Amino acid sequence: MSNSKSVFLLWHTNPENDDEKLIGVYSSEADASAARERLKNKPGFISSPSGFEIAEYEIGRDGWSE
């Protein structure tokens, strides 16, 4: 990425019921990973530990260009 500021979104999707949750927005990938570690054994997440995704987004930039 450029020198622009980015944030890291932590999502969880349960493939059994297509339930998608935005867990939070973090200032670093390490913070997002720590949140995933805190939640992965909790109800609502433990049945689909591979459902977590961390996505980096640049602040002030459109997420969709088309």
Side-chain angles (χ1 to χ4, degrees), residues 42-61:
K42 303 281 185 190
F45 304 107
I46 196 167
S47 65
S48 55
S50 64
F52 287 101
E53 177 185 350
I54 297 173
E56 182 177 7
Y57 281 85
E58 188 176 343
I59 295 173
R61 184 174 203 171

Side-chain angles (χ1 to χ4, degrees), residues 3-24:
N3 292 333
S4 299
K5 180 71 175 157
S6 293
V7 293
F8 296 83
L9 282 64
L10 176 61
W11 293 90
H12 184 268
T13 303
N14 185 333
E16 294 174 5
N17 58 14
D18 290 329
D19 183 33
E20 188 173 278
K21 295 178 180 86
L22 173 61
I23 305 301

